[in-house]
Amino acid sequence: LNSSNLGAVMKTCGKIGPEGIVDVCIELFKKIKHLEAESSTMIYDITSTYFYSTKLPKARLGYNRDDNSLPQINIGLVATKNKGLPVLFRTYEGNITDVRTVEQLISDVKRVDLSIDAIVMDRGMASRRNLIKLAGDNLKIIGGIPLTSNEAKELVAHDISEENELMRPSGLIYYEDLATSLFGIPGRAIICFNHSDLERERTARLKKIGVAEIKVAEILSSQTGNETLEGLEKEIKAAIRGVSDYFEINNDGNKITVNPHAENRKNARLRDGKCLIFTTNFEKSASEIIATYFGKDVVEKIFNCFKNWLDLQPVRHFEEGNIDVYIFICHLAYLALALYKHHLGVAGWEGV
C-alpha cells in the first residue's frame, strides 16, 4: 500500500463490501488472538466522522461529537483492553443512536472465537433492553448506567461511607459495592463518588436553574393581560427546557404560577458527584471493575489516532463503497502500531 496504488487498493477492497470487511477484520484478529490472555475484556465504543458531502446515504445529521452541523457517519469499534488490539469496526448511519448498535455487537463478538470475560460499554449503550439481551446471551457486562431510570436513581441515592477509596488519574474516588439486581439481572452495583465531580455537576446545574428562573420571572412580569394561559405556559416551558424537572408549573385556569420542585432538587443533590457501574462479573474486585471501566479510553485513544495521526476526518472519499475501505485502511494501520507496541515492549515503545 502506497500513494501510487491507493486507488487500486480501495477499488479491490471495495468489491467485498462492508460485511466482507468485517469478515476480514475478524479473521485477522483470529490470527493474532494468541497475543491476548486466554480470556479478554472487550471494549466497545462509537465515534463519528463528518463529511462536506450531503449526498451519501449513510451521511446524516445526528448527535455530533465535533461541535459542527455537518452530516456524519458513526463508527463502532471493538478492541481488547489488555493489548489494545482493534478487533473489528462497523459503520452506521449518522443519525443512529449508540444504544441501537448493541444487538449487532453481540452478533459480531460471538464470531471472534475468544473467551470474553466482560464487555465494557459506556452509558450511552447500557439501556434496559441491551443489558437484558447481553445477559441472556451469557455475556458479562461492565457498563456505566445512565441515571435516568428510577432503578438507577434509587441505587445512587445510597450514602457513600468513604471507607473504600481508590486513587485514579482523575483524582481520589470513593465507592460502594452492592450485590443487587438491575432490570431483573443479578449483579453488582458499584457506586463511585468524586468530590470534584460533585462541585462541577452541582455548579453547572445551579447555573442553568438560575438562568431559567430569571427567564421565568421576566416572562411573568412582562404579562400584558392579553396572553392566553396556554401560550404563557408554552413560553415558560421553553424557558426551562433542560431543567424542567426542577420546576413545578401550576395552571389553575385563572393564572399560572411557577415554583421550585423541592423533591427533585433534593434528589439531584443526592446524585451529584456519583456514577453507577453495573456488572455481572462476580470474580473481580470492585477496584478491578472500576479500573476496567475507566480503562475504556483504550478505544478513545484508537479513535484519536484515527482522526489525528491517520487523518480520518473529514472523510474526502465520497463514493459510498470507499468509506468503509478508507476506515479499514486506518484500522489496519492502527493494528500495525498495536503489534509494534506489543513486540517492542513498553520500554522499547517509549523510545521509538
Side-chain angles (χ1 to χ4, degrees):
L1 179 65
N2 55 55
S3 58
S4 63
N5 69 3
L6 177 60
V9 169
M10 295 191 75
K11 188 174 182 180
T12 300
C13 291
K15 292 178 181 177
I16 66 173
E19 284 299 323
I21 288 174
V22 173
D23 293 341
V24 173
C25 288
I26 292 173
E27 291 304 314
L28 277 172
F29 181 76
K30 287 180 179 179
K31 302 282 187 185
I32 59 170
K33 68 178 184 179
H34 62 277
L35 301 177
E36 285 287 343
E38 288 186 3
S39 65
S40 181
T41 299
M42 295 287 185
I43 300 174
Y44 178 59
D45 206 352
I46 285 185
T47 192
S48 55
T49 186
Y50 60 89
F51 296 79
Y52 293 111
S53 169
T54 58
K55 297 181 180 179
L56 293 170
K58 278 188 179 178
R60 302 180 188 178
L61 296 176
Y63 170 66
N64 193 283
R65 297 163 176 85
D66 299 299
D67 295 324
N68 62 45
S69 56
L70 294 169
Q72 63 183 24
I73 62 166
N74 288 323
I75 307 166
L77 179 71
V78 181
T80 64
K81 181 185 182 300
N82 182 29
K83 299 288 184 181
L85 300 175
V87 179
L88 63 95
F89 77 90
R90 277 188 179 274
T91 57
Y92 296 94
E93 291 84 359
N95 61 352
I96 195 169
T97 55
D98 296 0
V99 74
R100 289 172 54 200
T101 66
V102 172
E103 195 163 335
Q104 182 63 60
L105 163 73
I106 295 170
S107 176
D108 287 337
V109 297
K110 284 182 177 179
R111 299 169 53 198
V112 172
D113 194 24
L114 180 72
S115 177
I116 300 172
D117 60 29
I119 294 179
V120 183
M121 298 187 304
D122 210 346
R123 286 175 292 188
M125 305 163 198
S127 69
R128 180 194 302 261
R129 178 180 175 182
N130 285 341
L131 292 177
I132 292 171
K133 178 68 176 170
L134 284 159
D137 282 279
N138 297 315
L139 291 168
K140 292 182 179 177
I141 310 154
I142 299 176
I145 306 299
L147 304 183
T148 51
S149 67
N150 290 332
E151 294 94 328
K153 289 177 181 177
E154 186 177 335
L155 283 170
V156 296
H158 281 80
D159 290 330
I160 304 292
S161 67
E162 300 195 7
E163 291 180 4
N164 301 316
E165 59 185 28
L166 183 66
M167 181 58 73
R168 297 285 306 152
S170 58
L172 183 64
I173 65 171
Y174 304 95
Y175 64 88
E176 293 290 335
D177 185 0
L178 306 175
T180 184
S181 63
L182 182 65
F183 310 137
I185 306 166
R188 295 157 63 195
I190 300 174
I191 307 158
C192 300
F193 171 74
N194 178 280
H195 283 287
S196 299
D197 288 345
L198 181 149
E199 296 293 334
R200 178 178 51 80
E201 292 170 12
R202 188 167 294 173
T203 299
R205 184 180 67 255
L206 291 177
K207 282 183 177 179
K208 290 178 182 177
I209 290 174
V211 169
E213 287 174 339
I214 292 171
K215 289 181 179 178
V216 170
E218 290 174 348
I219 293 169
L220 294 176
S221 64
S222 62
Q223 293 181 69
T224 62
N226 297 322
E227 306 93 343
T228 63
L229 290 179
E230 290 76 12
L232 188 61
E233 185 174 353
K234 185 176 180 181
E235 191 177 355
I236 291 170
K237 285 182 177 179
I240 64 174
R241 186 176 293 122
V243 288
S244 58
D245 286 347
Y246 308 116
F247 291 88
E248 287 183 302
I249 302 174
N250 300 302
N251 183 348
D252 63 5
N254 296 312
K255 69 174 183 176
I256 290 179
T257 57
V258 181
N259 298 300
H261 196 301
E263 185 68 18
N264 285 354
R265 294 192 185 196
K266 176 184 174 183
N267 290 335
R269 291 176 67 87
L270 294 175
R271 297 192 294 270
D272 285 340
K274 295 178 181 177
C275 72
L276 176 60
I277 302 170
F278 181 74
T279 181
T280 51
N281 185 308
F282 289 93
E283 291 77 37
K284 292 186 177 185
S285 67
S287 58
E288 288 175 314
I289 295 292
I290 293 168
T292 299
Y293 177 72
F294 288 109
K296 68 184 184 299
D297 64 348
V298 166
V299 173
E300 293 167 8
K301 289 173 181 174
I302 296 175
F303 285 146
N304 182 61
C305 181
F306 276 19
K307 293 183 177 182
N308 295 303
W309 293 9
L310 303 177
D311 291 331
L312 172 63
Q313 103 176 349
V315 175
R316 296 182 174 86
H317 299 272
F318 294 141
E319 291 184 24
E320 183 75 10
N322 282 351
I323 295 168
D324 285 82
V325 178
Y326 183 50
I327 299 169
F328 179 47
I329 292 170
C330 292
H331 179 96
L332 294 177
Y334 188 85
L335 179 58
L337 286 173
L339 291 173
Y340 275 122
K341 183 175 180 179
H342 167 76
H343 289 299
L344 288 168
V346 176
W349 176 252
E350 291 296 328
V352 173

